[in-house]
Amino acid sequence: MAAGIIFLMGITVLFAFAWYFGTESVSVKRRIGTLLAIGVTAGSLYFYEELGIEKGIELKGGIAVNLRIQQGSDKMPITRETQETVIAVLERRLNKTGTKELILAPQGSDRIFLQMPSIGEEEASDIVKMVTKAAKLEFAIIPTQQDDRIPGNAFILGNAVNKGTQIVPGYKAVALKKAGEDDKKEKSEGEEGAEADKDEDAEKANVTQYVLMKLKADMSGNSVTQAYASFDQQGWGISITFDNDGAQQFGELSAANPNRQMAIILDGEVISYPAFNSGPIWGGSCRISGDFSQVEAKSLAAAMANPLKEPLTKESVSFISPTMGAATVKQGITAGVAGLSLTLLFILVYYRVAGVLAILGMLINIAIIFGSMALFKFTLTLPGIAGIILTIGIAIDANVLIYERLREEMTGGKSLHNAIKTAYGKALSAIIDANITTLITAVILYMVATGTVKGFAITLILGIMASLFSALLVTRVCFSWLVTEKGGLVKKLSFANIAPKRQFDFLSKRRVALAVSAVLVVLSLVVSSTKDPRGVDLKGGDLLTIHSPGDVTTEKIEQTLQAASFKGFYVQKQHAMGGGGEFLTVRSVHGSGDKIKAVLKKDLQMDVSEVEVESVGSLVGSEMLKTSLMALGFGMIAILLYVTLRFEFAFALGALVALVHDLIIVLGLVTVSGLEISLITVGAFLTIAGYSINDSIVVFDRVREGLKTKRGDVKDIMNFSLNATLSRTLLTSLTTMLTLLTLYIFGGPSLNNFAFTLIAGVIVGTYSSIYVASPIVLWWARKSKTNLRREVLDSEQEKIQADTPTIEA
């Protein structure tokens, strides 16, 4: 779909949103909201149906490329650090936006293992060209007879020097890039004049031509900070930007050589030779034009922006099956759909008519997520699925917050119309604050982290936006049609109630609860430090490559290894591109390769006599791990600042302590249970972090409201707020647990660890929102002698003053 049409659609939706929230007319708001809901949903379904979603390796398979690192010109030995550096460069080349799923891992002592999903043979060839290009960039002025005293034309001399028929001291012959059949475009300014100077015999013979160049280039490309493909009247080109030193050097070079041609040399080949016809270039950027196709311009730009010090050579390229077998994927999807259906059924039974609207909002929420992923070509990965599960939980929580407020307002004697209006107004701050804190973390994860963590962040960002849309607009508009000030189709709403009638004194048990939490945190840290729970995804392991006998399937190998009590392994079928037969690869934990060979030989009678056990590094490179931890740290700091501004520092401290508490204890439970942490389990931990923050903020919003409206001791007000949100806490946990228990019981081995981790996270998070977050707030307020009520009231007064219009002279 044309970018212009998508842009116009986006502008239309934004205009409609502005109109909806800006108008005071109930009827206009109802009609605009209805059109928005229908339009956004229809658009999402259209994009999903027409464009489809790109699936990750574990769901669809893709290609596998084995690359060998060659020693660079410095002849330095290839180390594990060298492999990690190459992986980081390839990640930036292949996944600049972070929307694709890549697996990049060190293999052996000098190789790189690359997997990409859903790629055809032609695109695979382009990928191989991109990753094997070293991209050493240089700039050099082409010599002339007048300025450099060379004995003739530089192009003719270049061919003569290359042939060995002439020697020019201090100069060498450098090849000119040959244009492909599809790449013949008009020459850029300055190149047209050089055509007549080329060696006519070489041109007629259609052989590689050469140009005479100085032995040392005038400027290296090490100062390039950005390179991207661009299109103008001269065709496709590459726009590059220099750092401060590079900008100064390039400006001086252009000023000293007016009207002269400059050769742009990439990996020892002149790809373009424009002239400085427009005077000195001091802006720190320039554009390279030449015989580039769109694919070539993008490939060269990616390489220039991320040059390799050590060249790579391709060893093999093969198509691979999904890391999760078809039966496993089907089992997981079936379990997920069943769990979600149970959740929606529970919402329907519990909230009845209002539950129908919640289900409608939920379905629209899911449609928006998948439609957005299809439109922006985001890859659906297992961590991404974790993000979707989290957003579904957030969407359910938003509806529960609204409906529980609605129950309170109806109990207080308000008419149904006024109760709905008040419920949405009172629930708004909790929903906005909870979603913004989660959104802050998601945005920082996307900006800072790399790899599959970005996939989680993308689905979480889309899901939060969809949740806000469905909960605050879709269900609100539906209510406006069903319930009006004068009556409407629905006269009365009734809800079930699982919350206990009695009031609990939660904070009287705070010392015991905090002591228990402290002991669990210490035990979890001890257990996690004595036993490494990381699986082959995170710490590497053994790799076996076996020629595939026709009667042995990946499912058969998986069943055999599971029966032999092996854990944390992956089996994939591969077939070499262009022929070469099929073979199977088995990735497993360190030290298990020989044992797996023995089992395959004994139980499946497979010939493994020539199979060697190789080492394969972590699929999560050191840079990805470091950036992901940095992103999580930055997210915590951002949450601390936001919650401090919106509430008070004591609340921010309570939320962060609860978050760290939940993650550490769940890590301990996973370790004690003997489960391994894989890439999808990382997604589960990120999901737990989102749930933890969401839970704490919802409780704190109610505490803040109590401090503003109620008299009495702060401890009593906090107890009242915890009891007031208890039904919401239990409902959200229960609905989430329905989906997770279904995944755990029926989702198969591949989803067991993921579901178990999230189940543990929901239980621990529910506990911490009551017995950790609020007690920490109370403890800090008393320790620092902070008057929470005064702080909250002052903050509210400042907000009122800021919103009050003033008259100035």
Side-chain angles (χ1 to χ4, degrees), residues 547 574-583:
H547 282 285
Q574 304 187 10
H575 62 270
M577 191 177 294
E582 292 188 345
F583 50 96

Side-chain angles (χ1 to χ4, degrees), residues 211-231:
V211 61
L212 195 69
M213 303 295 300
K214 288 182 286 188
L215 292 176
K216 184 178 180 181
D218 294 292
M219 179 180 172
S220 76
N222 294 336
S223 298
V224 173
T225 58
Q226 188 179 23
Y228 56 91
S230 58
F231 187 84

Side-chain angles (χ1 to χ4, degrees), residues 103 127 235-236 298 464 474 523 623 802:
I103 289 180
I127 292 294
W236 281 98
K298 290 184 176 180
I464 289 171
V474 174
L523 288 176
E623 181 179 357

Side-chain angles (χ1 to χ4, degrees), residues 65-70 128 131-132 311-316:
V65 183
N66 285 307
L67 303 164
R68 187 178 293 276
I69 305 174
Q70 306 294 318
V128 170
V131 299
T132 53
L312 298 175
T313 56
K314 176 196 73 176
E315 288 207 329
S316 65

